[in-house]
Amino acid sequence: MIFKFKLFTLAFLCLFALNSFAQELGTFNTEFGTDGAVVFDPTTSHDFMYKVLVQEDGKIITVGRARVDSKNYSIYVSRHNADGFLDETYGDGGYVFLKVDPLIYLNCAYDADLGEDGYLYVTGYTYDYTNNTAFIVCLDENGFENEDYGDKGYVISPYGGGIVYEAIDVDSKGRAVVVGYINDQILVTRYNAKGKLDKTFADEGSAIVNFLGEKFYG
């Protein structure tokens, strides 16, 4: 079971991008949040947003990491209504805080994707001052773990330390493809809809690419 914590200092803005709107392109949508901006405050400091997604119904999801206990970082997910304000029906008052490993200093979400199955797939890494380990977390439409996915809602990379997942894309069959690095080499891995390595992909589920000795860092 992933460990949950509660409650951020981030902001996002809404700009007009379509000429069907009356306001000039690139100006603030003053009907969004307060004069076009939303500031939300899950913790008192050291909070980072890495991804923003917009659902088909206009609701907004953000993911990143948050320092919920003034020392260690948790994965955070928030959901906002189309007007930018928190959707308090999601998770615990609009927020979900997770630790893949409660004993590790850093749990960080780098990217997320909404699957056609309605689930949110969140990827990133943990860090214990020595090694990185990558993960995927699968959440339902209410912000709770899909316990049928992987190990009760999440999967950990099977390759040990030195791994970071930085991007994720979920196809129409619910297969998650993650891209990141392992020991300075590019790593691409695909999981099936149940969160198991898809061994029909590349070499037993993963492709590792090293471009002529070039080093890649996250």
Side-chain angles (χ1 to χ4, degrees), residues 7-119:
L7 227 60
F8 193 109
T9 311
L10 295 179
F12 55 92
L13 313 174
C14 184
L15 302 177
F16 281 106
L18 301 175
N19 35 8
S20 59
F21 291 101
Q23 288 183 245
E24 184 180 350
L25 298 181
T27 60
F28 285 114
N29 173 5
T30 55
E31 296 180 359
F32 179 82
T34 303
D35 295 328
V38 171
V39 177
F40 51 110
D41 188 17
T43 66
T44 57
S45 65
H46 296 90
D47 302 307
F48 299 84
M49 179 196 301
Y50 291 110
K51 181 72 174 186
V52 178
L53 295 170
V54 181
Q55 299 181 174
E56 288 186 0
D57 61 3
K59 290 188 176 183
I60 302 160
I61 292 173
T62 79
V63 305
R65 59 185 167 107
R67 208 167 200 172
V68 297
D69 60 4
S70 75
K71 181 179 179 182
N72 299 312
Y73 285 96
S74 296
I75 303 156
Y76 99 83
V77 182
S78 70
R79 191 168 76 186
H80 306 252
N81 294 312
D83 61 6
F85 294 105
L86 279 171
D87 176 3
E88 296 187 356
T89 68
Y90 186 77
D92 186 359
Y95 299 107
V96 175
F97 288 85
L98 310 166
K99 281 191 174 183
V100 174
D101 187 331
L103 302 180
I104 283 181
Y105 155 69
L106 179 63
N107 291 259
C108 176
Y110 257 167
D111 195 21
D113 193 27
L114 288 161
E116 293 184 12
D117 54 10
Y119 291 110

Side-chain angles (χ1 to χ4, degrees), residues 150-170:
D151 184 10
K152 295 186 177 180
Y154 66 98
V155 296
I156 301 292
S157 171
Y159 301 110
I163 297 176
V164 171
Y165 290 162
E166 295 187 316
I168 187 169
D169 187 72
V170 181

Side-chain angles (χ1 to χ4, degrees), residues 53 63 111-123 136-139 146 149 168 170 174-176 192-193:
L53 295 170
V63 305
D111 195 21
D113 193 27
L114 288 161
E116 293 184 12
D117 54 10
Y119 291 110
L120 177 70
Y121 296 81
V122 181
T123 197
I136 301 173
V137 175
C138 183
L139 302 178
N146 170 17
Y149 189 81
I168 187 169
V170 181
R175 297 177 300 189
N192 65 26

